[in-house]
Amino acid sequence: MRTHFCGLVDEALIGQTVTLCGWVNKARVQSHQAFVDLRDHEGIVQVLIESDQPELFKAAGELGHEDCVRVTGTVRARYAANDKIRSGKVEIVPTAIDVLNKAEPLPFHAHENAGEDVRLKYRYLDLRRPEMQQMMRTRIRLVQALRRWLDARGFQDIETPILTKATPEGARDFLVPARMHPGEFYALPQSPQLFKQILMVAGFDRYYQIARCFRDEALRADRQLEFTQLDMEFAWVGERDVQDATESMIREVFREVMDVELGEFPRMTYAEAMRRYGSDKPDLRIAMEFTDIADLVKTCGFKVFTDWANHEDGRVIALRAPGGAALSRKQIDDLGAHAAKYGAKGVAWMKIDDAAKGRDGINSPIAKFLDDATLAAIVQATGAQSGDAIFFGAASYKTASDFMGAVRLKLGRDLDLVDAGWKPLWVTDFPMFEWDDEAQRYVALHHPFTAPAVDDEADLRANAKTAVSRGYDMVLNGNEIGGGSIRIHRSSMQSAVFELLGIGKDEAELKFGFLLDALRYGAPPHGGIAFGIDRIAALMAGTESIRDVIAFPKTTTAQCLMTGAPSPIPDAQLAEVHVQVRPAQAAS
């Protein structure tokens, strides 16, 4: 049907006859000439029709935006070149224009700032837009580069089941009724975690899969119900083996896809990341760091500070914001509202109008509660200068770290303190467990199959509160792009971890008996990592939303506007899978 792609026609084809297929990007009819910009997925080429071709001239005048057409004609040099596109030095003089399919008036045009709901309902039109084509092709190149790297190094691409057993991995499972087993259900995998571990037991040594995963959880810009990850597992490895190999992979992929050198990957423990930045995925493009000032305010007159400074689990943080004195009161109030989403009851502040004047050069609603010596000590400890601001957080260690971490990121954006470029790092030595106050038990910080740093089960049981795991995350520009760990490879240790997580022996056998059995038959030491394809592609494409690099994403309300999913199922179809839908309970 065609001989060439529109966007690839260039001077090498001058004088040749070509047949092109595409959409009418723009049609401009003048008194003696008509210009048609014809577009396909490779780009645009100009078609020029002279009035001395009356039938073709008439056909050009009847073309509408996004009509699907085929053009046959001769390539010639263009009178006025367009250096912005590959085909900009040539044009097509047609001998035939065939309209393959007329387009009805569009619900939105490429140049319009259409709302996301409209774009997602008519996703096929949205994806035609050159910027969306570029984003999706960035994702395609990313996956191709990953596969090339993995295949060249002996990794084996092995598929794992989509219909599997429900297991707790931190989010709700999507359940699928089993028609041939009434009353029983499959679950869609949250990850291939257990299968890839069993592949290590089975002797496959180096595994990978571009895996589809499913989690029934709240959506936001960087979350989807269904997502894609590069899943990897290695046998006979320690942490640095996995980290060094995958760091090399990510470096090479960014070099190939983006022509970017990522530079150094520093290593930072979880404890250090929380202490300095209030985040386990710190954005190192923002230079601001926390200053702990509990020792400076233990006896001050500000009760919020003194209460938490003297609390066993308390933390009082000061954060210097260079140039922050220029922030308006509304911006400061917005900052407090933002911090409240992360558990803050308030964020105190202090503007340093003139550091040389001491108290008289400080503008702050809390200054009256602090004596001159304390004010001076805080300014000195933070290194604040004239024109800066200092923001304060006081709460339990984790809560203060969390909300001040959010404050740091917002200040970085508001004050234009985010450096350009790429800042990767490894975050290591995560806590093994977190205490869940509501459930009154420990939960796994990564997942229940992560190995502890200690080899002795008795040691782990005795020191569960402070136990460190062999988990690690790769972080890039404040985004966790990969997370992994060395796994538990002994059945006795896995049982001990289940016990500490409140999973009794019978429950463990019911849910994970197949894994415990596999670990008893010579399971080798093994570890792995999973990388978020959607998130990496979004970073490469320069968009904040992973929806922009997923062909058919769900909305934040977990709907597909194009197909209308989810949708009701007829009673007869439900009966086939032995399911009956109960009416939703009215809110009381």
Side-chain angles (χ1 to χ4, degrees):
M1 183 172 277
R2 64 182 171 193
T3 60
H4 297 80
F5 294 111
C6 298
L8 301 184
V9 177
D10 59 18
E11 304 98 302
L13 296 173
I14 288 176
Q16 295 187 31
T17 298
V18 297
T19 298
L20 309 174
C21 295
W23 291 274
V24 175
N25 196 66
K26 186 185 292 184
R28 310 180 303 283
V29 180
Q30 300 173 356
S31 57
H32 299 292
Q33 291 179 319
F35 299 89
V36 177
D37 289 342
L38 191 63
R39 186 193 76 247
D40 63 14
H41 75 281
E42 290 289 0
I44 291 175
V45 68
Q46 178 174 283
V47 180
L48 173 64
I49 307 100
E50 302 281 358
S51 58
D52 61 3
Q53 300 171 286
E55 291 188 10
L56 293 177
F57 192 77
K58 179 183 177 184
E62 295 173 349
L63 291 176
H65 185 53
E66 294 300 306
D67 283 353
C68 183
V69 302
R70 177 176 59 201
V71 173
T72 298
T74 304
V75 182
R76 77 175 185 188
R78 185 167 165 173
Y79 178 73
N82 178 356
D83 294 332
K84 294 181 180 179
I85 57 176
R86 175 171 173 171
S87 65
K89 294 183 179 180
V90 298
E91 60 192 8
I92 310 299
V93 178
T95 55
I97 298 177
D98 301 312
V99 178
L100 304 176
N101 198 356
K102 288 288 292 182
E104 295 185 6
L106 303 180
F108 70 95
H109 291 278
H111 62 273
E112 293 177 346
N113 187 21
E116 189 176 51
D117 283 358
V118 175
R119 289 173 52 207
L120 292 180
K121 182 175 181 180
Y122 301 97
R123 187 62 165 177
Y124 37 86
L125 297 178
D126 188 36
L127 288 174
R128 278 190 203 168
R129 297 188 301 130
E131 53 265 47
M132 291 301 296
Q133 289 268 321
Q134 183 59 41
M135 287 187 186
M136 290 304 300
R137 294 176 85 173
T138 296
R139 180 194 178 105
I140 291 165
R141 291 196 305 272
L142 164 64
V143 173
Q144 289 171 336
L146 289 168
R147 285 194 182 278
R148 278 193 292 271
W149 192 95
L150 292 158
D151 292 341
R153 287 157 181 82
F155 283 85
Q156 301 168 91
D157 183 0
I158 303 176
E159 294 179 346
T160 54
I162 293 295
L163 297 175
T164 184
K165 185 180 179 70
T167 57
E169 289 193 43
R172 293 185 184 91
D173 287 319
F174 279 101
L175 302 177
V176 180
R179 181 181 61 83
M180 292 182 289
H181 300 273
E184 298 183 355
F185 294 81
Y186 301 103
L188 302 183
Q190 294 187 34
S191 81
Q193 180 62 45
L194 298 183
F195 288 104
K196 68 179 181 178
Q197 288 191 238
I198 288 173
L199 284 170
M200 297 304 101
V201 181
F204 284 94
D205 203 271
R206 284 191 164 197
Y207 143 95
Y208 86 93
Q209 182 181 186
I210 306 294
R212 298 288 287 163
C213 304
F214 308 85
R215 293 180 187 173
D216 189 2
E217 58 186 356
L219 274 66
R220 53 179 189 253
D222 64 345
R223 290 266 177 91
Q224 283 280 297
L225 300 178
E226 49 184 319
F227 56 96
T228 307
Q229 66 186 37
L230 166 60
D231 215 54
M232 302 174 66
E233 199 76 3
F234 306 66
W236 319 103
V237 291
E239 292 92 326
R240 287 300 292 255
D241 298 311
V242 178
Q243 293 166 17
D244 289 347
T246 55
E247 180 180 321
S248 173
M249 176 185 72
I250 292 297
R251 284 181 190 278
E252 187 165 322
V253 166
F254 267 78
R255 189 180 299 121
E256 179 178 338
V257 177
M258 300 281 295
D259 194 24
V260 162
E261 293 294 338
L262 287 181
E264 179 188 2
F265 279 65
R267 280 174 167 74
M268 185 181 300
T269 66
Y270 170 89
E272 182 184 359
M274 296 303 292
R275 177 177 59 79
R276 294 172 61 184
Y277 305 108
S279 172
D280 60 2
K281 49 181 185 295
D283 190 341
L284 299 186
R285 296 174 302 166
I286 302 171
M288 291 185 292
E289 295 191 25
F290 293 167
T291 302
D292 284 291
I293 60 167
D295 289 344
L296 302 180
V297 297
K298 282 188 174 181
T299 59
C300 75
F302 190 42
K303 190 173 186 299
V304 175
F305 283 1
T306 56
D307 284 352
W308 286 110
N310 290 285
H311 192 285
E312 180 184 6
D313 188 40
R315 187 176 194 192
V316 185
I317 296 168
L319 179 64
R320 173 201 169 206
L327 292 170
S328 68
R329 185 56 189 265
K330 182 182 184 307
Q331 287 176 302
I332 292 175
D333 289 343
D334 288 346
L335 199 66
H338 181 68
K341 300 175 185 177
Y342 298 85
K345 293 184 178 179
V347 176
W349 55 273
M350 185 182 291
K351 290 186 177 182
I352 313 300
D353 295 327
D354 189 340
K357 292 183 178 180
R359 176 183 293 275
D360 293 338
I362 292 175
N363 173 15
S364 171
I366 68 168
K368 60 188 176 183
F369 300 110
L370 306 174
D371 59 34
D372 290 352
T374 302
L375 283 173
I378 291 172
V379 171
Q380 182 179 9
T382 58
Q385 306 290 322
S386 298
D388 294 347
I390 305 172
F391 292 88
F392 301 92
S396 67
Y397 192 96
K398 187 176 187 309
T399 300
S401 301
D402 286 346
F403 75 72
M404 288 300 289
V407 165
R408 174 180 173 271
L409 292 177
K410 183 167 173 55
L411 282 170
R413 292 189 294 268
D414 291 351
L415 295 171
D416 197 22
L417 297 174
V418 183
D419 292 338
W422 302 91
K423 290 285 187 179
L425 79 152
W426 285 103
V427 178
T428 66
D429 300 332
F430 283 80
M432 186 74 184
F433 306 111
E434 283 184 309
W435 181 256
D436 186 324
D437 285 326
E438 186 175 337
Q440 286 295 295
R441 65 178 181 85
Y442 286 116
V443 294
L445 193 68
H446 264 82
H447 55 59
F449 319 110
T450 297
V454 297
D455 288 329
D456 182 70
E457 293 98 62
D459 189 348
L460 179 65
R461 288 188 176 95
N463 299 287
K465 183 177 180 180
T466 58
V468 172
S469 78
R470 299 178 69 182
Y472 38 81
D473 286 353
M474 184 185 287
V475 176
L476 182 61
N477 290 4
N479 297 273
E480 177 208 326
I481 62 169
S485 67
I486 298 302
R487 324 301 189 186
I488 298 168
H489 69 281
R490 296 200 324 269
S491 183
S492 57
M493 178 62 81
Q494 187 64 76
S495 294
V497 169
F498 285 155
E499 179 187 323
L500 287 165
L501 294 173
I503 301 173
K505 186 175 181 180
D506 291 343
E507 183 184 0
E509 189 62 35
L510 177 66
K511 292 181 176 178
F512 303 107
F514 63 97
L515 173 67
L516 293 170
D517 285 346
L519 297 182
R520 293 186 183 103
Y521 295 110
H526 59 283
I529 192 167
F531 288 94
I533 297 291
D534 310 308
R535 196 167 298 173
I536 297 173
L539 285 170
M540 286 180 162
T543 178
E544 293 186 0
S545 175
I546 64 171
R547 291 191 291 275
D548 288 335
V549 293
I550 297 173
F552 302 103
K554 304 292 189 291
T555 66
T556 53
T557 56
Q559 294 173 294
C560 174
L561 299 181
M562 187 182 74
T563 64
S567 60
I569 299 296
D571 289 343
Q573 192 174 351
L574 289 173
E576 288 181 350
V577 292
H578 319 287
V579 169
Q580 185 175 8
V581 177
R582 295 191 303 180
Q585 295 289 328
S588 57

